[in-house]
Amino acid sequence: MLKLIASRILAAVPTLFGVLVATFLIVHLIPGDPISAILGDEATEEQIQTTREALGLNDPLYVQFANYLTQVLQGDLGTSISGRQPVADQIMARLPATISLAIAGVIASVIIGIPLGMLAATRRGGKTDFSALLFTTVGEAAPAFWTGILLSTVFAITLGWLPATGAGTPGDTWSVIRSLILPATALGLAGMALIARITRSSMLEVLNEDYVRTARAKGVREWVVITRHALRNAAIPVVTVIGLNFGVLLGGTVVMETVFARPGIGSLLVNAIFARDYPVVQGVTLVIAVSFVLVNLVTDIVYRFLDPRLRDEVTSKA
Amino acid sequence: MNKRVLKSRPLVLGGFIVISVVMVAVFAPLIAPMDPNSQSLENRLSGWGTPGYILGTDQYGRDLLSRLIHGARISLLAGVIAVAVGAVAGLVLGLLSGYFGGWVDLVIGRIFDVLLAFPTILLALAIVAALGPSMTNLIIAIGVATTPHFGRVIRGAILAVRSRDYIVAAEAFGASDFYTMWRHVLPNVLPPVIVTTSLGIGSAIQTEATLSFLGLGVSPPTPTWGNIINDGQAYLGIAPGISLFAGAAIVVAVVGFSLFGDGLRDLLDPRVRK
């Protein structure tokens, strides 16, 4: 198992290195002189020099990259141009709001997706199955930010049940949870389609297995057959999709934080793009991409661990 | 084949939606009841059903239906061109990667891995952040974000046909690499490309809408479905129709492309067909 984990981590190293190169290149992709693009034409010579120094643009490209790499590995993501604060500090202060939203989004997608998939599988070919298909297709097609706006219009603006903006009062758990419900549901509705579809197809496969037939023949109640015998065995691919969804929802938080004015790293990124604050853009992009790679890595390992066939395959190869 | 096409409900329904959306986009100036940018401040924020404005008006009194019809043009154009960019780039890289293998495959595979390490919307945002918000840069951003998805599909399809007898025979007859790829490999990997294109246009429409909603895509007053939703966000309490109808237009178009893509996959993939 340790060998498996080590091999997967080693395989992720070149990708992480590539992610560093890509985020480093963001500033160098700016057409023309990045400094005048950032500061505009009316900047003073002093401002130009300070910004050039802050972005490390005075050195040759390979030196700049080596410096960037060294800094990042030490946890230094540079200094924000507009806020003059360390980017890492800004990200760390806002990260909990983003992670809690992504986790809440995954929970919502599971709460909606798994029962929907189970229902569709047990009523295969019927009206319920078709309705579930329709619901997931529309849920997947609707942009998450639009679903967020609709939920906000109904439950925050019209009914006044839940807050339309913010991340709740720090320290007040109930207020934090209330502020999460609408954005997490919008993210969950976007993410549930894949979970429901995989749960349905995976359940359909196991519902035909002998052990399910045996359980039914023994007179076990249908509910127990479905939850204890079928769902447990259908869970492996579903777990993988949930893991992959987490990474995607992490990307989805960027726009959702803007819709609900939540102070996370997604809204930090969008504001930084408008302010042309490139160190912040680089820092946030790097953090989200690295988290995405790491979540996929953990999902891959968990998947192989959960499925004895894959585990044996790796062990026998090793 | 024709019977199978007509029997496939997703293909027929998806095809009907796709053709309708394309027709609306192409004939927008003829269909739209008004100029999408003509303002009538005395009629601002009228609700749906107002005489002369079936779907109501926005904050400048512009006719919402006309803006949605013209918005279809931009949203669809951005989606189609962006996916075409991604498809061509992915096709070339995927062909090279799958056909030549070895270090070419390794290098291209790593590039794809890195691009796939970014959630699509994040990659598009990073590119727009560097290049600046505009329609062209938005298309480049979505195109780059789409490239690895096409590349992976094409590479996989090529690996499946690479060792087939007809390829080996062409090579044995002295056909050049380019000729073999063009005449023998490409036609056999086209079905998955067509399916990915249809599904990709739906995602591209969503990404375009997201970037325009954030104010990083096509700038106002040019209407796109994304920036119409953005316009309506400030008036949800008094004129929810603005954001509601624009979002519904996106849902209908994306559902159309995804049903059409699913239907095509069923039709073109012999394994699914069985």
Side-chain angles (χ1 to χ4, degrees), chain B residues 193-208:
Chain B
V193 175
I194 295 167
V195 173
T196 313
T197 302
S198 181
L199 297 173
I201 291 174
S203 313
I205 289 173
Q206 280 182 328
T207 312
E208 183 279 322

Side-chain angles (χ1 to χ4, degrees), chain A residues 276-300:
Chain A
R276 293 179 167 269
D277 195 339
Y278 287 96
V280 176
V281 173
Q282 279 181 314
V284 176
T285 308
L286 182 69
V287 168
I288 298 181
V290 168
S291 315
F292 194 52
V293 174
L294 294 180
V295 169
N296 286 350
L297 177 70
V298 171
T299 307
D300 189 19

Side-chain angles (χ1 to χ4, degrees), chain A residues 4 8 240 244 295-305:
Chain A
L4 162 72
R8 300 317 297 169
T240 315
L244 295 175
V295 169
N296 286 350
L297 177 70
V298 171
T299 307
D300 189 19
I301 292 170
V302 170
Y303 175 57
R304 281 156 197 276
F305 182 70

Side-chain angles (χ1 to χ4, degrees), chain A residues 39-53:
Chain A
L39 298 175
D41 296 333
E42 289 167 19
T44 62
E45 188 56 34
E46 192 193 345
Q47 282 176 310
I48 293 174
Q49 277 314 317
T50 316
T51 311
R52 196 174 281 280
E53 200 60 46

Side-chain angles (χ1 to χ4, degrees), chain B residues 202-227:
Chain B
S203 313
I205 289 173
Q206 280 182 328
T207 312
E208 183 279 322
T210 306
L211 291 177
S212 294
F213 168 75
L214 291 172
L216 294 165
V218 179
S219 337
T222 309
T224 78
W225 292 336
N227 68 25

Side-chain angles (χ1 to χ4, degrees), chain A residues 243-291:
Chain A
L244 295 175
N245 243 359
F246 183 75
V248 176
L249 292 188
L250 206 58
T253 57
V254 173
V255 62
M256 206 49 74
E257 284 174 358
T258 308
V259 173
F260 287 92
R262 287 177 62 85
I265 60 170
S267 52
L268 180 68
L269 172 67
V270 175
N271 293 335
I273 292 174
F274 283 116
R276 293 179 167 269
D277 195 339
Y278 287 96
V280 176
V281 173
Q282 279 181 314
V284 176
T285 308
L286 182 69
V287 168
I288 298 181
V290 168
S291 315

Side-chain angles (χ1 to χ4, degrees), chain B residues 96-128:
Chain B
L96 293 173
S97 180
Y99 187 77
F100 289 109
W103 67 267
V104 177
D105 186 28
L106 194 74
V107 171
I108 294 174
R110 284 282 166 250
I111 294 172
F112 287 163
D113 281 347
V114 172
L115 290 176
L116 289 170
F118 294 86
T120 306
I121 188 67
L122 181 70
L123 185 60
L125 275 174
I127 294 170
V128 169

Side-chain angles (χ1 to χ4, degrees), chain A residues 12 38 54 56 148 187 291:
Chain A
I38 294 166
L187 279 178
S291 315

